[in-house]
Amino acid sequence: MKGIILAGGNGTRLRPITLGISKQLLPVYDKPMIYYPLSVLMLAGIRDILVISTPADLPQFRRLLGDGSRLGLSFSYAEQPRPRGLAEAFLIGEEHVGDDPVALVLGDNVFHGPRFAEVLRSRLPHTDGCLLFGYPVSDPGRYGVGEADERGRLISLEEKPARPRSNRAITGLYLYDNDVLSIARGLRPSERGELEITDVNREYLRRGKARLVDLGKGFAWLDTGTHESLLAASHYIQTIERRQGVRVACVEEVALRMGFIDAGQCHRLGEELSTSEYGRYVMEVAETYRNAEVRDSVTAL
């Protein structure tokens, strides 16, 4: 499966902060915002990833992420000169996707929850159609809302409904089979002139090939679109990390635990950041992992 991170847009609700930097490069507590959706794709085992952003912002993403090899990944980059809808990602990324299924994640979405990696990896082999992720919210009228039957099959999809049939907001993570490319090519712009991801999902719904995974209790899906919500997301991550002693969306640790890099490479990446607490944490993770490997090898003798 290929991955796409859509990190475009102008971040107008966060101005004046975003006048000089992409929203997806702003910090959510101790790391760039894009690390959070990137870690989601990595946890799903996806290593070939396209980053889509504006022509002005792409050089910043290249400087931050490089070609991905340091993390055992492969990054490529493509321009979206102006926002023309989420579904345009599949037109821009058509060559990248090729004949494979694809996961699209929005660059400003933060996901955190128990066994999320297990949920993702258990679903990927069965991506026939589209797989959406629903999150319970108190104000579903602000979102795209999905309703599913007892088997998880999507039975209705509404965009900002006045009378929602469900409280499950559709989050910014979407898994599709390869048909999404032809579906996207056949879309017409909406009244606001954009290619809507909801129209893609409705076509899968029409075909009876749309499913909804309920993220449920104990999970967090965080908005970062306003100054208040960005600050709240940072406070949430800070609280989790301090209480649990782990770093959420530490991409070096994820790469190590997924087997994309070894402990030596992870330690070297931490050394490059060793003047920060984040870098020292990466080094500690690598040392702990390496010591565990040594103990396991000795036990096996």
Side-chain angles (χ1 to χ4, degrees):
M1 176 172 277
K2 301 291 180 59
I4 297 177
I5 302 177
L6 185 56
N10 298 315
T12 54
R13 290 187 297 164
L14 286 169
R15 288 181 177 175
I17 302 173
T18 50
L19 290 175
I21 187 172
S22 167
K23 175 175 70 172
Q24 291 84 3
L25 291 173
L26 293 174
V28 176
Y29 184 46
D30 57 351
K31 59 192 74 71
M33 186 186 296
I34 196 172
Y35 274 27
Y36 295 89
L38 170 58
S39 69
V40 170
L41 296 183
M42 294 171 68
L43 287 170
I46 297 170
R47 304 176 70 170
D48 195 350
I49 299 168
L50 174 68
V51 178
I52 298 176
S53 189
T54 67
D57 292 328
L58 274 181
Q60 298 173 326
F61 287 105
R62 291 180 186 272
R63 185 164 61 250
L64 173 67
L65 301 173
D67 65 2
S69 59
R70 289 153 53 87
L71 295 171
L73 306 173
S74 175
F75 288 123
S76 52
Y77 301 87
E79 296 182 356
Q80 186 184 41
R82 61 184 181 87
R84 294 189 61 246
L86 304 186
E88 189 184 29
F90 302 113
L91 304 184
I92 296 171
E94 184 168 5
E95 183 176 344
H96 166 74
V97 176
D99 297 325
D100 296 317
V102 59
L104 171 67
V105 63
L106 305 187
D108 60 357
N109 274 218
V110 176
F111 295 87
H112 178 254
R115 299 183 297 279
F116 192 31
E118 297 175 20
V119 172
L120 292 172
R121 291 199 293 271
S122 67
R123 300 285 181 171
L124 288 186
H126 310 291
T127 304
D128 177 23
C130 87
L131 188 65
L132 309 176
F133 294 82
Y135 184 76
V137 295
S138 59
D139 51 351
R142 294 178 50 212
Y143 303 92
V145 177
E147 180 188 14
D149 63 18
E150 65 279 358
R151 295 179 296 171
R153 186 182 62 177
L154 192 69
I155 57 178
S156 74
L157 186 62
E158 305 170 283
E159 187 66 28
K160 298 181 179 179
R163 296 181 178 180
R165 299 174 59 177
S166 161
N167 70 338
R168 270 28 181 194
I170 303 299
T171 69
L173 174 63
Y174 315 88
L175 306 183
Y176 297 103
D177 63 16
N178 197 256
D179 288 347
V180 71
L181 299 182
S182 60
I183 292 172
R185 285 195 299 268
L187 293 181
R188 294 184 178 181
S190 64
E191 291 182 358
R192 59 178 185 167
E194 296 190 358
L195 302 179
E196 306 288 356
I197 198 72
T198 299
D199 290 339
V200 172
N201 297 334
R202 281 179 176 147
E203 175 58 22
Y204 277 106
L205 173 61
R206 187 191 68 79
R207 298 180 182 187
K209 299 181 68 175
R211 300 185 65 80
L212 183 68
V213 175
D214 188 358
L215 294 178
K217 296 180 179 180
F219 204 92
W221 171 56
L222 305 177
D223 176 28
T224 58
T226 66
H227 299 101
E228 290 78 11
S229 60
L230 179 61
L231 181 61
S234 291
H235 283 162
Y236 173 85
I237 297 298
Q238 179 189 43
T239 300
I240 291 294
E241 293 188 351
R242 287 187 174 180
R243 288 183 178 178
Q244 298 184 359
V246 299
R247 299 266 169 172
V248 179
C250 175
V251 293
E252 295 85 358
E253 180 177 12
V254 175
L256 174 63
R257 298 195 183 281
M258 292 297 296
F260 301 163
I261 60 175
D262 60 24
Q265 174 65 3
C266 184
H267 196 277
R268 287 189 290 273
L269 293 175
E271 287 177 334
E272 295 175 6
L273 306 171
S274 60
T275 55
S276 68
E277 290 185 8
Y278 181 92
R280 291 190 289 274
Y281 172 82
V282 173
M283 294 168 65
E284 290 172 4
V285 166
E287 291 165 0
T288 300
Y289 198 85
R290 186 156 46 195
N291 291 339
E293 286 182 326
V294 170
R295 287 196 301 271
D296 289 345
S297 64
V298 170
T299 303
L301 293 177

